């Protein structure tokens, strides 16, 4: 079975720009979550998608938005980038009804905002 | 905010058992204890989880105290590849819409 893949691996953007990060979930998984990890901190929950709808959101502003597609892949969009958005963005997938078994994370996208 | 408390860092000699403690004194009856680890430049990796009984899998053992207010993750024979940040997480048992709440974790260094 394939794991979670994220693209791109690294990205540099200018303050004020918009960015789209992509995630392919693990085979058999139907739920995707996104996390932001600042340097030296644990990952922070942004939001989760199930059945192509947002199903839970952390303390992040509306300029962070997402999509989930019929094949369960997902995108994270961030508008009006700020310097503090520089972080590792992690995607995690799971199967809704078996979420007790844990999440599978991708290796992340390192975003640098200059 | 994370509902767990972990030491900031620990060292362990290669080949010895690594015992990583976690306090979760406010855990509720329907909350599980999960452990993840994050090796440098990778995403977190699921290790093990438990409710109240001790659990063991091919990676580690999880010992939960009877009052469930603390737990210990045991890596029986630590190797250099076990060097990572280990996160202890308390999470509700439901069908899937409860996210993981990470703290800062314990940075484990396995020393040759």
């Amino acid at each position: 079975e394939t794991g979670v893949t994220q693209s791109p691996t690294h990205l540099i953007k200018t303050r004020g720009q918009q960015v789209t990060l992509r995630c392919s979930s693990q085979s058999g998984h139907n739920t995707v979550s996104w996390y932001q990890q600042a340097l030296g901190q644990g990952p922070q929950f942004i939001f989760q998608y199930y059945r192509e709808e947002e199903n839970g959101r952390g303390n992040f502003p509306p300029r962070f938005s997402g999509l989930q597609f019929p094949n369960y892949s997902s995108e994270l969009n961030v508008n009006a980038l700020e310097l503090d958005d520089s972080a590792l963005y992690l995607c995690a997938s799971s199967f809704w009804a078996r979420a007790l078994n844990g999440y599978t994370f991708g290796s992340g996208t390192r975003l640098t905002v200059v | 905010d994370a509902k767990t408390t972990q030491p900031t860092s620990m060292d362990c000699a290669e080949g010895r058992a690594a015992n990583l403690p976690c306090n979760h004194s406010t855990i509720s009856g329907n909350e599980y204890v999960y452990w993840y680890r994050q090796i440098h430049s990778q995403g977190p990796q699921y290790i093990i989880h438990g409710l109240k009984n001790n659990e063991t899998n091919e990676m580690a053992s999880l010992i939960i105290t009877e009052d469930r207010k603390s737990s210990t993750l045991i890596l029986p024979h630590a190797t250099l590849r076990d060097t990572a940040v280990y996160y202890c997480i308390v999470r509700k048992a439901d069908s899937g819409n409860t996210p993981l709440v990470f703290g800062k974790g314990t940075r484990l260094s396995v020393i040759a």
Side-chain angles (χ1 to χ4, degrees):
Chain A
E1 73 188 6
T2 57
V4 174
T5 58
Q6 294 187 241
S7 63
T9 54
H10 296 83
L11 200 53
I12 300 175
K13 288 287 191 178
T14 302
R15 189 171 49 183
Q17 285 188 314
Q18 178 266 345
V19 69
T20 298
L21 310 182
R22 295 178 175 82
C23 171
S24 294
S25 60
Q26 178 172 306
S27 175
H29 285 182
N30 59 9
T31 305
V32 174
S33 304
W34 287 91
Y35 289 78
Q36 180 196 66
Q37 186 173 23
L39 207 58
Q41 305 294 317
Q44 301 298 306
F45 175 69
I46 303 175
F47 45 54
Q48 176 175 270
Y49 277 81
Y50 172 60
R51 291 184 173 175
E52 302 177 46
E53 291 188 357
E54 186 179 295
N55 187 283
R57 188 178 186 93
N59 188 26
F60 281 82
R63 59 190 186 82
F64 285 78
S65 63
L67 286 171
Q68 185 182 33
F69 300 100
N71 66 353
Y72 308 121
S73 66
S74 177
E75 287 182 355
L76 164 66
N77 298 290
V78 186
N79 293 322
L81 283 167
E82 301 176 359
L83 297 179
D84 285 348
D85 295 332
S86 295
L88 179 68
Y89 288 84
L90 295 160
C91 171
S93 73
S94 61
F95 186 76
W96 181 267
R98 293 197 299 269
L100 277 181
N101 293 345
Y103 292 72
T104 301
F105 282 82
S107 294
T109 294
R110 173 74 60 186
L111 173 65
T112 302
V113 182
V114 297
Chain B
D1 289 350
K3 296 178 63 174
T4 61
T5 304
Q6 299 177 251
T8 302
S9 63
M10 294 181 63
D11 291 339
C12 177
E14 188 178 21
R16 304 295 295 268
N19 297 282
L20 291 93
C22 179
N23 287 323
H24 32 78
S25 59
T26 62
I27 192 170
S28 301
N30 66 345
E31 289 179 319
Y32 281 70
V33 179
Y34 282 79
W35 283 83
Y36 281 76
R37 74 179 183 183
Q38 188 172 22
I39 296 170
H40 182 62
S41 298
Q42 297 182 22
Q45 175 191 24
Y46 166 80
I47 301 172
I48 198 168
H49 74 278
L51 183 62
K52 54 184 178 181
N53 296 320
N54 298 337
E55 303 287 344
T56 295
N57 63 20
E58 65 279 3
M59 290 183 68
S61 294
L62 174 60
I63 308 298
I64 302 174
T65 58
E66 194 167 342
D67 64 9
R68 302 212 318 126
K69 292 185 177 181
S70 65
S71 61
T72 301
L73 178 74
I74 301 173
L75 307 179
H77 306 287
T79 71
L80 298 178
R81 285 179 291 186
D82 292 321
T83 293
V85 178
Y86 286 77
Y87 297 99
C88 170
I89 297 167
V90 164
R91 179 174 178 263
K92 258 193 326 183
D94 60 14
S95 60
N97 65 348
T98 303
L100 298 170
V101 179
F102 290 83
K104 291 189 177 182
T106 295
R107 181 171 298 278
L108 175 69
S109 298
V110 180
I111 302 166

